[in-house]
Amino acid sequence: MKIRNCQFIISAVSRKQYPMEDIPEIALVGRSNVGKSSLINMLLNRKKLARTSSTPGKTQTINFYKINNEFHLVDLPGYGYAKVSKSSKEAWGGIIETYLTNREKLVEVIQLIDIRHKPTEQDIQMYNWIKHFGFKGIIAATKLDKIKRSQRQKHISLIRKTLDMNKEDILVSLSSINREGKELLWETIGDAFLQKGYDITIEEAAEI
Ligand code: GTP
Ligand code: MG
């Protein structure tokens, strides 16, 4: 994917703050600290466009980024952070549900799972929720650099089994540190746009 330009648009909490611009979008969701913001930076070849941190629960708003003036990438707030109060957990559910049900141009949702760990009950619920709202769901198994090559298949199989994924369901494993899996994820995103009838230019990145 050739990134001609990308910009941060807005950190939104309520629906009225969502960008009005009528372009398709792809959202990322997952546990707090799983690597959503890092993945956005990796996909866009930027170090600090999306804020990352070692403190879980950092991103609590919906952050919209505009790519090549053609589509949005959307960083959704993370779930599963034990220290947040019950009321903020409920608020989280409301924020996500409002988002998922109100974006006509939402093409697909990418759910991140840490490749090292078995998906949690909340991960399973989230995946089911994505399907329930009519998306295929793309699983991005992150932090691939943290496990040995010989262990990959075992971890991927556990994720597929725990989420009850079918053969056709897509899982891309990747690392935001060494960038493995990046082009495959862009291709997967390009396919999702195509399937929904959007003509987005996913050009092959130039080899440097
Ligand atoms: P919240 O905003 O709290 O929901 O977190 P997030 O999902 O946006 O995670 P973030 O991108 O901030 O990453 C959390 C931590 O994981 C940071 O310390 C990142 O450097 C690290 N991290 C993210 N992706 C990878 C990866 O692929 N490999 C490794 N080794 N570390 C990663
Ligand atoms: Mg984040």
Side-chain angles (χ1 to χ4, degrees):
M1 174 74 177
K2 197 164 177 181
I3 310 297
R4 292 187 298 277
N5 64 68
C6 56
Q7 60 193 120
F8 168 70
I9 303 292
I10 195 173
S11 245
V13 178
S14 68
R15 189 181 159 190
K16 61 178 187 297
Q17 296 171 308
Y18 297 170
M20 302 282 275
E21 197 173 357
D22 199 21
I23 52 177
E25 67 195 27
I26 300 275
L28 285 93
V29 71
R31 278 177 72 82
S32 200
N33 220 35
V34 72
K36 297 175 292 298
S37 304
S38 303
L39 180 57
I40 288 183
N41 288 331
M42 189 268 268
L43 286 172
L44 301 178
N45 307 317
R46 295 283 290 262
K47 281 205 173 80
K48 287 184 188 157
L49 188 68
R51 287 183 61 192
T52 64
S53 102
S54 46
T55 323
K58 189 83 193 166
T59 319
Q60 295 194 325
T61 49
I62 302 185
N63 294 325
F64 291 82
Y65 301 88
K66 187 159 81 169
I67 321 306
N68 295 348
N69 294 316
E70 282 187 303
F71 63 95
H72 289 134
L73 274 185
V74 184
D75 193 1
L76 295 173
Y79 53 83
Y81 180 45
K83 279 191 189 155
V84 301
S85 63
K86 192 164 174 245
S87 62
S88 55
K89 276 181 193 162
E90 282 166 10
W92 178 87
I95 290 169
I96 300 284
E97 184 166 12
T98 302
Y99 173 78
L100 290 179
T101 51
N102 279 291
R103 291 304 268 177
E104 266 178 38
K105 295 265 170 105
L106 178 57
V107 167
E108 203 39 90
V109 183
I110 301 176
Q111 183 180 358
L112 284 75
I113 302 280
D114 188 325
I115 196 157
R116 295 172 295 175
H117 309 302
K118 184 177 174 183
T120 63
E121 215 32 65
Q122 273 173 307
D123 288 325
I124 298 168
Q125 276 171 20
M126 188 72 231
Y127 191 58
N128 291 338
W129 220 15
I130 292 170
K131 298 254 183 208
H132 169 79
F133 284 120
F135 302 97
K136 285 188 175 166
I138 296 168
I139 296 294
T142 61
K143 309 199 182 182
L144 186 58
D145 56 288
K146 295 251 195 189
I147 59 168
K148 286 193 189 133
R149 200 166 274 271
S150 59
Q151 298 293 303
R152 287 180 177 186
Q153 207 44 58
K154 189 182 88 184
H155 287 261
I156 291 169
S157 301
L158 181 65
I159 292 172
R160 282 195 164 274
K161 186 165 170 252
T162 311
L163 294 179
D164 197 20
M165 294 173 76
N166 295 322
K167 275 205 184 92
E168 311 78 58
D169 289 327
I170 300 167
L171 183 152
V172 177
S173 44
L174 49 90
S175 163
S176 299
I177 299 288
N178 67 22
R179 306 174 158 257
E180 191 174 352
K182 180 179 154 187
E183 291 306 323
L184 184 58
L185 184 58
W186 270 128
E187 277 170 34
T188 307
I189 292 171
D191 287 346
F193 280 129
L194 264 181
Q195 278 167 25
K196 295 264 167 92
Y198 293 107
D199 186 16
I200 300 289
T201 2
I202 306 278
E203 303 158 63
E204 199 63 38
E207 292 290 331
I208 306 165

